Amino acid sequence: MVSRVIPVSSFDLVLFGATGDLAQRKIWPGLFHRFLAGQFDEQSRILGVSRSEHTREAFQARVQKAIAEEAENADDVARFLELVDYISLDATGERGWEQLAGAVRDGVVRAFYLSVAPRFFGPIARRLQQSGVATADSRIVVEKPFGHDLDSAKALNAELSECFEEHQIYRIDHYLGKETVQNLMALRFANSLFEPLWNSSHIDHVQITVAESLSVDGRGEYYDQSGAMRDMVQNHLMQLLCLTAMEPPSKFTPNAVRDEKVKVIEALEAVPVKDIARGQYEASGDQGSYREHAGNEDSTTESFVAMKVDVANWRWAGTPFYLRTGKCLRRRMSEISVHFRAPPHMIFPGTETPQGNVLVIRLQPDEGMTLHTTIKDPGPGGMRLTEASLDMTFADSLKGSEQPQDAYERLIMDVIRGDQTLFMRGDEVEAAWSWADPIIAGWTDRNMKPQPYDVGSSGPEDALLLMHRDGRRWRAIGS
Ligand code: NAP
């Protein structure tokens, strides 16, 4: 399999929050990886911007540390660092803005990546616009969280749209940059095998799980203000649901794809309390409880949520989507599983009706897909049936071609290309909050407490009951 790296135009990327955790862990390594792949050339530049003072050399040393894992060749590192400069700037003050205005060049793509707290989005956007640093074709990238609820998302959208047109705004949900997530669209819309079956006549239900084994220790105070619903469901799981459920867009253009996603969100039914399980992990061994990590003994914030969601349209009526996400679960695992209906009639005597086929789309770990099928148990002894999997792990099937990129590197290159397909549109984010807000308000109004669950488990008992009640079972989180 041959992979083609299509070079992007030369750019000035201004990275606000260049010293922060996200930049160190994801953005700098991602940029270096793209540089090594030859996706951008030495005419491009990356201007790190943050509050603290660093000389160019000291900052480059920080970047070198951030890319150390990828850095096998000293020449490559030196060539990359040549493109890196640093400006100390106060997002809400005067310091640094003049220097920034003098540093950006004409004739190259201009992109501003705001890897800073959301309270800075508005002030930075305004300042970029007022100072003339932002031009009519500049791009601005903003990180999650995009709002805390519908009102705050609307306010952020309003602040950004005062200064930038929608076609210039790139709202990141890094799940959309994952190779498998894009493959979900290829699977559905570049093959004729699945799409005729992709509806409630053939699909019994869909499960979407994003399980994490880590606790919120270290970021508990921040997390306690959001919880699993805001931190994961409203954005990442919602995106996965949209891509699974959406109608085929007429073409693969940013707005055609995003129009279809918005229609899915708008078709979501309100979720009654009985269709939701909320949990909070308990202390176990050396591991503290959620409430200890959050520094809030009375916290009622959920570290786990599972729910049954109905998409009320012709394609999906009668096929529920079960969403589940949480911290401190048995294993780190993200997947979408599509559970086809069982065969309507069994012709093989003495055998049980097999389960329906299950198509599992794995996002992490080992991105890939597996189709669970029923086959004849090999050998003599009559017609006995057994299960077998058709497995495709991308790392295996892509041997010899470039390995899948990390989501961030893919998304940053899309920004430079000016391709918004994998970014959330303003109305899409607002639609997602419009759906999520009443669910959260329902918990708050009833003062509902999450159910405790054990560290390393699959979540609280209520989540299991949610499925059992419907005569279904969750797929195991880890074996
Ligand atoms: P962080 O580690 O706290 O870094 C914040 C950055 O903002 C630092 O570079 C800091 O500069 C800069 N900054 C703070 N105040 C400033 C000011 N007044 N003027 C200019 N720069 C200022 O945050 P982070 O974890 O990297 O997160 C950045 C954004 O990404 C947030 O919106 C977060 O929600 C989002 N995000 C983060 C992650 C993650 O894994 N970390 C994942 C998803 C989304 P100094 O260091 O110089 O003070």
Side-chain angles (χ1 to χ4, degrees), residues 32 35-36 42 60 63-65 67-83:
F32 182 53
F35 177 71
L36 290 181
E42 278 149 78
Q60 286 176 333
V63 174
Q64 184 165 0
K65 224 164 139 190
I67 62 174
E69 251 178 53
E70 302 278 335
E72 285 170 7
N73 178 321
D75 274 358
D76 289 337
V77 175
R79 285 191 308 119
F80 178 72
L81 293 179
E82 263 310 296
L83 315 183

Side-chain angles (χ1 to χ4, degrees), residues 17-22 25 50-52 89-91 115-118 120 143-145 408:
T19 53
D21 175 65
L22 184 68
R25 286 192 307 106
S50 65
R51 188 177 37 181
S52 44
L89 174 151
D90 184 356
S115 178
V116 290
F120 294 123
E143 263 301 333
K144 87 168 227 196
Y408 278 94

